[in-house]
Amino acid sequence: MSTTPPTSAPTAAPSAPAPATVTLTIDGQTVTVPKGTTILEAAKTIGTKVPHYCYHPGLSSPAMCRLCLVEVEGAPKPQPGCVTTVADNQVVRTVSDKALGNRQGVLEFYLVNHPLDCPICDMSGECDLQNYVHAEGREHGRGVEPKRVFGRDDFGGDVLFYGDRCVMCTRCVRFMSEVEKDERLTVVERGNRSVIDTFFDEGLDGTHWSGNIVDICPVGALVSKAFLHKARAWDLEHTPSVCASCSQGCNVELHTRDNVVQRVKPRENLDVNGWWMCDYGRADYEWMNEGDRIEAPLVRQADGSSKAVAWKEALGGLLARAKELQGRPVKAVVSARASNEDLGALAELVGALGGGEIVYRSPRSAEEIVLQGFPTLARRKDLAPNVKGAELLGMHRVGADDATGGLDKVRAHDGIVVVLGDALADQDERFGASAALYVYVGTQLPVAARAAHVVLPVTTHAEQEGTFTNHAGRVQRFWPALTAPGMARPAWLVLGALVGELSGEAVPRTAADAYAALAEAVPAFGGLAYPKLGARGALPMISGAAVSSGAKGA
Amino acid sequence: MAYPYVSDKEARVVSQGFGDPKQRRIDTYVERGGYGALKKAFGLSPDAVVDVVKASGLRGRGGAGFPTGVKWSFMPKQPTKPHYLLCNADESEPGTFKDRELMRWNPHQLIEGCLIGAYAIRAKHVYIYCRGEFFETNQVLARALEDAYAKGYVGKNILGSGNDIDVTVHQGAGAYICGEETGLMSSLEGRRGLPRVKPPFPAAYGAFGMPTTINNVETLCAVPHIVANGGDWYRQWGSEKSPGTKLFCVSGHVNKPGNYELPLGFPLASLIEDVCGGMRDGNSLKAVIPGGSSVPILNAEEAMSCKLDYEGCVTAGSMLGCASVIVMDHTTDIVKAVRRMVDFYAHESCGQCTPCREGSSWTAQIMRRIEDGDGTEADLDTLMQITQQMVGTTICVLSDSVAPPVQSSIKKFRGEYLARMKAARSTEVPVAVPAGVA
Ligand SMILES: Cc1cc2nc3c(=O)[nH]c(=O)nc-3n(C[C@H](O)[C@H](O)[C@H](O)COP(=O)(O)O)c2cc1C
Ligand code: SF4
Ligand code: SF4
Ligand code: SF4
C-alpha cells in the first residue's frame, strides 16, 4: 500500500487572470514561453531535446516512459517534462548529475530485455534507443540474466511487429485510438509481460492510416513490410517533397538510395498533415522508379517511324511547324499531376500559338477518408496533387471519375494537339491522327502517342523542382529526389523555351523563374515566390491578405 | 475465546462483532445502535462532519496515513459536477487481511461509513471497489446493501432526510495495482487498471473525471464511531499524531496469528508475546515486517523496541503502512522471503513505467539467481542501485515498494546473502564431472 502521502493539495481554483507568458530558467538559460507550455516543449525552444519515448506532440501524454524526468528546483522528486507545465521563476535542470543519472538508469532498464539486434534491425541508424544509449547510457552493461522473448507478429496492413524491441511507449496504441480512432491495438498483460497486440485476426487490415505507427515507433519494434531489409537508414538521402496521391498535399520526404525511391515518410506540417500521411500515399511510389522511360525527343519521319534526335533539332523542327500553323486552334490535354510551373508554361504556349482549349482528366474516388483525430487531414476525393492548380489556370475537367473518356473532340481535332502528362491509357494509335500538329509531352510512350509528330521527354515531380496547389489553395514546393533518365527535362523548361521563341519573352532558367512568371501572369498565384514558400508552403496573397485554410494542428 | 483469537489488550471499535454472524444482519446492526451516526451526521452540515473527523485525527488506514478529514476538505464546497466517494476494498497488500474481515462480519458498519463520508464530501454516489477474489465477502456486501436499500438507509431520500445517496459494489478482477487510488479509478471506469499521473489530484479530477475522494475500508468503518462519539473520544487511544485504534493483521510464526484491534502505539514486543501468544514452538524471533510487504524489514532488536504507530515505526526504521505485521522466526530464509515479495511486485507492476516494469522483474531475476546460489557479492551492489533507481521515478509508488524489503534485508541480513554466494558455496559443492571426461 501507499507509503508516501500526497505531496500537495489539489491546485486551488485560478483567481486573477494570469499573464500570458511565463519566464523560467532551463539549464541556466532564461526562457519565456506561453503559459501552459510543458517543460519539454519549452526546452525545445532553446534547442534542448529532452530524451523521451512516450511523449509525442500529436498524442496524449501518459508520462510513463520516465525518460524525460528533469530536476525542478524545490520539487521533492524529478518531474516528467512532458506533462509538467512551466511556472514563473522555475529552475529546471535537464543535464544535471541527477537528471543524467536518472536517464542513465532508465536507459539501463530498457536494455535489460532489449535484444540489441541492431545489425539486422531496420531502425538502426535512426533509432532513439541507439541514439540515447550511445549519448548517455552506461559504458558497460550489467545485465547477465536471460532476456524475455516475445518474437514477431504480422500486425496486418504494412506493419510487422518485433516484440522484443518494443519499449512499451504505447504510441502505436494511442495513435490508433486517438488519431485514427479505430482501436486495433492494445497492451495485453501487465508488468514486463506487457506486449502490444491486435484484437482479432484482421489486425490492422482495412485501416487507412496505420502506416504512421511505424514512423512514430521510436525503435525498430514496428517496421514496414514494404521497406523490410531494403536499405540501411544511413544510406538514404532525404528529399522534401509533396505527396502526389491526392489533393491534400501531405508534406513528405522521399528517401532514396542509388537513384531509387525506397520509401516515403511524412514531414511535419501542422497546417496540412500534422505528422501523418495516409497508407495510399505512402505506398504510391514505385511509379517514380519505373524504367520504361522516354529518354530522348522523338520526331516522326516521313515513313512513319520515329527517330531519336537532339533537343535542338526537335525543338527547331517543332517551332518551324508551329509558326506555319500559328492561329490554328489548339486543343490541349494535361495531367493534374503536373506542377504549377509546367501547367503555367503549357497555358502560355497555347496562348502563344493563338489560343485554344485546355482540359484535364483526373481520377476521383467516391469517398473522402478523414483522419478522425486530425480532421483537417483527409485522403481527398481528387487523386491527383494539382487539380486546384489546373482549375486556377482555367483548365477544366473532362472524362469520367476513372480518368477515362472525354477526349472525343481532341482525338478528331485537325488543328494543333498538345498532350502534357496524360498517359492516354484509354486511347488507341489513331489518337491525334487527323491533327495538323500533334505534340506529346510525357514520361512514357503510350500507343496513343504513335501519331505524334514530336514526342518530348519530361521529368516526373520526383525529378524536378516545382510546386503543387493543394485542395485548400496552398502552394507547396517539392525538390528533385532522383536524377532524370536520359535527356528528359522539366516540362516548364521545355515548353518555356518554345514560348520564348514564339513570343520573344525571356526564357525561364529556373523553377523559381517559372513560378515568378506564373505569379505575375495569373493573380491566383500572386504575392508568392519560392523563398517565401519555404519548405512548408503558403497561401497566395489575394488582395493583400493570405487566404486562411482554417487548418490547425492538434 | 471467540473469533479465531481475541485478547484482553484489544480496544475493539471497528472490530466489534467479529465472529458474530448475527452482526451481519441489518436488524441486529440497527438494534446495536447502527445507522445512528448517519442520522446524527444528517443533522449536521457536511462541513461540520468533516470537522469532527478532522478533530479525531483519523488517518487513512490504506497505508499512506493521510489525515482523512483534511483529505475530505479538499473537495469543492459548491459542487458544479457530480462528486464521488470511492471505498478502496481491493485489499491485496501481502500480509493484509483486515478489510475482508470488516466487510464480512460487519458490512453495515462500512455502508454507514460510506454514507456519512459521501454526505460530508457532497457525493451522491459511492462505489465500493471490492477485490474480486473475495467471493464470500462480495456476497455478504451485496446482501447487506439490498437490505439497506429495502429499509431506506441507502437510495433516495434516506430516512426522510432529503439526502439521496446510492451505493454500488464493484468487483475487481484480481490486480494489486487496482488498489492504487488512480489505478482503481481507471479500472472502475472500465479501462485497464493503470495509475494516472498526479496532478490532477482526485479531488479535482478523479473517477469519471469528477471530483473524487477515495478511502480505505477501515478508514470509513471508523467514521460512524467518531461521528457518534466525537473526535475527543477517538483520541482516548493512541498519540497526538497517531490517534485511535488500528487493526493489526498478524501473520507468520506466532502462536495466535489473526486480526487484533489495538490502540495505536502498542508495543510490537507485547503484540507478539502477550497478544499473539509468543513465537511458535518457542523459536527465536528473526525479523518483523510491521506494515505489509512494502515497508522495510526490522531485525529482532529493532522490532523489540518498536512502538506500533506512525511515528514509532519510522523511529524503528520502518513504516506502519497498513499495519500488516509479518513475524519471522529463526527458521526463515530471508533471501527466499524477500525474493518472494519481489516476485509479487514484478508480477503486479502494471507495466507503464519503465523503472517499475523492467526494474521489478530484473530485481526478481537477480534475487532468484542469488537464492539459487549463483550470485556474487557485486550483485548486492547492483540490487541496491537498481532498487534505488526505482524510488521516486514513477507514476505510482508500487515501484518504490521494491526497495524497502530488498535494501533493508541486504543491510540487516547481509550475512545470509553472502552465505549463498557462489564463492561461499564453491568449496562445498563438488562439480560433477561426467565419467570419461578428463
Ligand atoms: C500499489 C498500491 C496498492 C494499493 N492497494 C491498496 C488497497 O488494496 N487498499 C487500500 O485501501 N489502499 C491501497 N493503496 C493505497 C491507496 O492508493 C490509497 O492511498 C488509499 O486507498 C487511500 O485511502 P485512505 O486515505 O483511507 O488510506 C495502494 C497503494 C498502492 C501504491
Ligand atoms: S530498436 Fe534500436 S536499439 Fe533496438 S535493435 Fe533496433 S536499432 Fe538496435
Ligand atoms: S511497438 Fe513501438 S510504438 Fe508501439 S509501444 Fe512498442 S515501442 Fe512504442
Ligand atoms: S510505478 Fe509500476 S505499478 Fe505504478 S504506474 Fe508505474 S508501472 Fe504501474
Side-chain angles (χ1 to χ4, degrees):
Chain A
M1 299 196 182
S2 176
T3 47
T4 29
T7 47
S8 63
T11 35
S15 46
T21 61
V22 166
T23 300
L24 70 158
T25 311
I26 301 179
D27 297 329
Q29 258 182 281
T30 305
V31 188
T32 301
V33 288
K35 190 171 178 278
T37 307
T38 61
I39 290 177
L40 191 145
E41 288 293 339
K44 269 191 199 168
T45 66
I46 53 164
T48 299
K49 181 179 175 187
V50 183
H52 58 269
Y53 291 132
C54 69
Y55 172 76
H56 184 285
L59 303 171
S60 63
S61 307
M64 59 192 266
C65 75
R66 313 314 282 178
L67 203 46
C68 74
L69 294 185
V70 294
E71 204 188 327
V72 177
E73 227 175 67
K77 295 178 181 185
Q79 300 293 308
C82 62
V83 291
T84 310
T85 48
V86 293
D88 267 318
N89 305 321
Q90 204 173 40
V91 177
V92 175
R93 293 189 195 92
T94 75
V95 287
S96 60
D97 287 349
K98 263 193 202 161
L100 280 170
N102 179 69
R103 281 208 289 279
Q104 196 174 62
V106 178
L107 287 170
E108 182 179 30
F109 285 138
Y110 276 116
L111 295 184
V112 172
N113 281 300
H114 195 87
L116 285 173
D117 54 346
C118 312
I120 53 152
C121 178
D122 272 348
M123 198 66 175
S124 192
E126 52 188 8
C127 169
D128 276 343
L129 184 57
Q130 250 182 359
N131 294 346
Y132 295 160
V133 171
H134 277 281
E136 300 183 337
R138 285 174 68 93
E139 210 161 318
H140 297 286
R142 286 188 287 190
V144 294
E145 320 302 330
K147 296 193 179 196
R148 171 198 63 199
V149 175
F150 286 131
R152 277 173 271 180
D153 197 359
D154 182 346
F155 272 6
D158 182 42
V159 184
L160 269 186
F161 175 62
Y162 283 70
D164 303 321
R165 296 180 191 149
C166 173
V167 293
M168 201 36 73
C169 68
T170 72
R171 281 185 183 185
C172 53
V173 176
R174 282 175 286 134
F175 176 86
M176 291 310 293
S177 68
E178 297 167 11
V179 186
E180 178 147 12
K181 301 207 174 183
D182 185 356
E183 300 202 27
R184 299 291 189 104
L185 296 178
T186 189
V187 181
V188 174
E189 259 289 357
R190 64 170 183 247
N192 95 334
R193 298 164 326 278
S194 307
V195 64
I196 306 294
D197 208 347
T198 53
F199 287 99
F200 306 105
D201 285 348
E202 60 176 8
L204 295 167
D205 284 345
T207 57
H208 306 289
W209 305 89
S210 58
N212 292 295
I213 66 179
V214 173
D215 304 337
I216 58 177
C217 180
V219 292
L222 297 175
V223 298
S224 155
K225 292 179 198 168
F227 183 71
L228 192 67
H229 304 326
K230 260 208 319 200
R232 307 292 353 210
W234 54 86
D235 285 334
L236 294 172
E237 296 204 43
H238 299 191
T239 308
S241 189
V242 173
C243 177
S245 299
C246 90
S247 62
Q248 173 75 26
C250 285
N251 290 205
V252 299
E253 273 181 1
L254 301 181
H255 290 186
T256 55
R257 193 196 60 190
D258 302 337
N259 209 38
V260 173
V261 178
Q262 306 283 353
R263 67 178 178 189
V264 181
K265 289 271 184 188
R267 181 161 60 89
E268 179 185 334
N269 186 338
L270 291 183
D271 292 326
V272 180
N273 56 306
W275 304 263
W276 324 118
M277 73 181 297
C278 81
D279 295 345
Y280 305 93
R282 189 186 293 271
D284 186 21
Y285 62 88
E286 282 299 347
W287 64 271
M288 301 176 207
N289 299 329
E290 276 168 13
D292 55 340
R293 294 284 294 275
I294 318 171
E295 298 204 6
L298 304 173
V299 175
R300 204 171 73 195
Q301 307 297 300
D303 64 358
S305 66
S306 282
K307 188 181 164 207
V309 299
W311 272 109
K312 205 167 174 181
E313 191 183 333
L315 294 185
L318 178 52
L319 268 172
R321 182 70 181 137
K323 279 181 183 155
E324 281 170 32
L325 296 172
Q326 217 161 4
R328 295 280 288 271
V330 184
K331 284 200 184 299
V333 183
V334 301
S335 161
R337 299 176 83 94
S339 72
N340 288 319
E341 293 74 7
D342 295 349
L343 294 177
L346 183 103
E348 293 241 6
L349 177 66
V350 171
L353 287 168
E357 192 191 15
I358 310 175
V359 299
Y360 72 89
R361 306 191 296 176
S362 187
R364 282 170 68 88
S365 71
E367 277 165 44
E368 233 169 44
I369 303 168
V370 179
L371 182 54
Q372 297 299 333
F374 192 89
T376 48
L377 170 55
R379 190 207 187 211
R380 303 286 163 185
K381 289 184 185 171
D382 271 315
L383 302 181
N386 208 18
V387 170
K388 185 85 174 181
E391 291 284 341
L392 290 172
L393 282 160
M395 304 166 177
H396 59 267
R397 184 193 292 267
V398 294
D401 277 355
D402 62 353
T404 60
L407 298 185
D408 292 350
K409 277 198 244 159
V410 188
R411 183 184 168 86
H413 186 53
D414 61 359
I416 302 174
V417 170
V418 183
V419 175
L420 168 61
D422 191 315
L424 302 175
D426 58 331
Q427 303 293 324
D428 61 13
E429 69 281 1
R430 301 290 307 150
F431 182 88
S434 19
L437 173 62
Y438 171 16
V439 184
Y440 185 82
V441 186
T443 57
Q444 276 135 318
L445 198 64
V447 284
R450 237 174 248 170
H453 298 96
V454 185
V455 173
L456 303 175
V458 291
T459 52
T460 68
H461 86 290
E463 297 156 358
Q464 70 176 74
E465 209 180 336
T467 60
F468 291 137
T469 301
N470 85 344
H471 72 102
R474 187 182 188 87
V475 181
Q476 306 192 100
R477 291 176 68 182
F478 51 81
W479 280 261
L482 300 173
T483 309
M487 294 158 72
R489 295 288 179 269
W492 59 261
L493 184 62
V494 175
L495 303 175
L498 290 172
V499 174
E501 292 293 334
L502 287 171
S503 65
E505 279 171 27
V507 175
R509 297 286 166 202
T510 62
D513 288 352
Y515 187 83
L518 180 64
E520 208 179 284
V522 186
F525 292 92
L528 293 177
Y530 268 24
K532 202 162 172 178
L533 290 174
R536 292 196 164 79
L539 291 161
M541 307 294 281
I542 292 174
S543 60
V547 192
S548 164
S549 70
K552 191 74 201 102
Chain B
M1 284 296 278
Y3 176 67
Y5 307 108
V6 289
S7 157
D8 55 11
K9 304 258 187 256
E10 285 188 82
R12 295 178 68 164
V13 177
V14 294
S15 60
Q16 288 168 43
F18 273 20
D20 173 7
K22 279 195 291 219
Q23 177 85 6
R24 282 177 197 163
R25 303 215 303 257
I26 190 160
D27 297 338
T28 323
Y29 183 70
V30 173
E31 250 165 53
R32 294 178 182 174
Y35 289 111
L38 178 65
K39 285 180 205 152
K40 187 171 173 193
F42 283 166
L44 303 170
S45 73
D47 295 340
V49 177
V50 174
D51 287 342
V52 175
V53 175
K54 263 191 193 167
S56 76
L58 173 65
R59 294 174 64 165
R61 304 303 193 209
F66 194 81
T68 305
V70 177
K71 194 192 256 192
W72 289 4
S73 69
F74 294 154
M75 292 292 278
K77 302 274 178 288
Q78 253 93 44
T80 53
K81 299 172 184 169
H83 290 186
Y84 292 106
L85 175 69
L86 307 185
C87 170
N88 192 341
D90 193 47
E91 187 167 63
S92 317
E93 175 90 354
T96 311
F97 42 84
K98 62 190 178 62
D99 297 343
R100 179 190 66 198
E101 297 301 284
L102 285 166
M103 292 187 283
R104 56 192 275 255
W105 294 113
N106 204 346
H108 287 286
Q109 173 177 258
L110 176 61
I111 294 171
E112 187 175 6
C114 288
L115 293 167
I116 297 172
Y119 176 73
I121 64 159
R122 302 173 168 86
K124 300 217 172 308
H125 207 136
V126 184
Y127 287 95
I128 302 176
Y129 187 103
C130 189
R131 177 175 172 165
E133 293 91 330
F134 289 171
F135 187 71
E136 184 216 355
T137 316
N138 268 297
Q139 283 184 322
V140 172
L141 261 185
R143 171 75 202 276
L145 197 54
E146 220 173 88
D147 293 345
Y149 263 108
K151 296 256 152 109
Y153 290 109
V154 186
K156 292 263 170 296
N157 189 17
I158 297 169
L159 304 173
S161 66
N163 295 305
D164 305 337
I165 302 170
D166 281 303
V167 178
T168 305
V169 178
H170 181 94
Q171 254 175 283
Y176 174 58
I177 198 56
C178 292
E180 194 282 337
E181 52 188 24
T182 54
L184 186 150
M185 290 171 200
S186 301
S187 171
L188 183 67
E189 292 167 7
R191 304 166 203 270
R192 278 169 65 80
L194 304 181
R196 305 171 185 168
V197 179
K198 289 179 270 187
F201 291 95
Y205 190 95
F208 310 103
M210 302 299 157
T212 301
T213 292
I214 179 161
N215 282 119
N216 171 254
V217 169
E218 189 186 350
T219 313
L220 290 169
C221 285
V223 166
H225 303 280
I226 290 169
V227 169
N229 302 298
D232 283 344
W233 168 84
Y234 196 62
R235 283 184 176 277
Q236 67 179 287
W237 299 286
S239 66
E240 170 64 26
K241 288 197 175 133
S242 303
T245 61
K246 176 84 191 75
L247 272 170
F248 288 85
C249 311
V250 188
S251 61
H253 306 152
V254 290
N255 282 319
K256 292 193 271 175
N259 275 299
Y260 299 97
E261 187 171 4
L262 298 165
L264 277 164
F266 198 82
L268 176 50
S270 172
L271 173 65
I272 294 170
E273 277 314 310
D274 307 328
V275 178
C276 297
M279 303 298 291
R280 69 166 182 193
D281 305 334
N283 284 352
S284 62
L285 180 67
K286 185 183 224 172
V288 179
I289 303 176
S293 61
S294 309
V295 308
I297 300 174
L298 299 177
N299 61 27
E301 194 186 322
E302 290 165 330
M304 279 304 128
S305 61
C306 178
K307 263 179 68 190
L308 290 169
D309 55 19
Y310 295 98
E311 319 86 89
C313 286
V314 171
T315 309
S318 186
M319 278 182 292
L320 183 65
C322 43
S324 311
V325 183
I326 303 170
V327 183
M328 296 178 256
D329 71 12
H330 74 272
T331 66
T332 311
D333 179 340
I334 290 284
V335 176
K336 182 174 180 181
V338 172
R339 191 268 303 157
R340 191 56 203 79
M341 286 180 224
V342 176
D343 271 348
F344 171 80
Y345 290 112
H347 187 263
E348 297 300 325
S349 160
C350 83
Q352 289 187 94
C353 314
T354 312
C356 178
R357 178 183 67 243
E358 303 297 339
S360 59
S361 56
W362 189 18
T363 307
Q365 279 178 309
I366 299 175
M367 287 294 306
R368 170 70 82 170
R369 189 159 47 74
I370 294 174
E371 186 187 339
D372 290 348
D374 281 330
T376 63
E377 200 168 349
D379 286 328
L380 299 183
D381 298 338
T382 307
L383 283 175
M384 293 299 280
Q385 282 172 23
I386 63 182
T387 52
Q388 194 54 39
Q389 187 64 45
M390 294 170 67
V391 173
T393 55
T394 52
I395 293 176
C396 85
V397 294
L398 184 145
S399 184
D400 303 51
S401 305
V402 175
V406 173
Q407 298 188 352
S408 63
S409 64
I410 292 178
K411 279 187 209 139
K412 297 173 191 176
F413 299 94
R414 195 174 179 90
E416 287 204 25
Y417 279 89
L418 293 180
R420 306 195 83 113
M421 296 303 176
K422 232 186 206 157
R425 245 180 11 125
S426 55
T427 46
E428 303 155 23
V429 184
V431 180
V433 180
V437 177

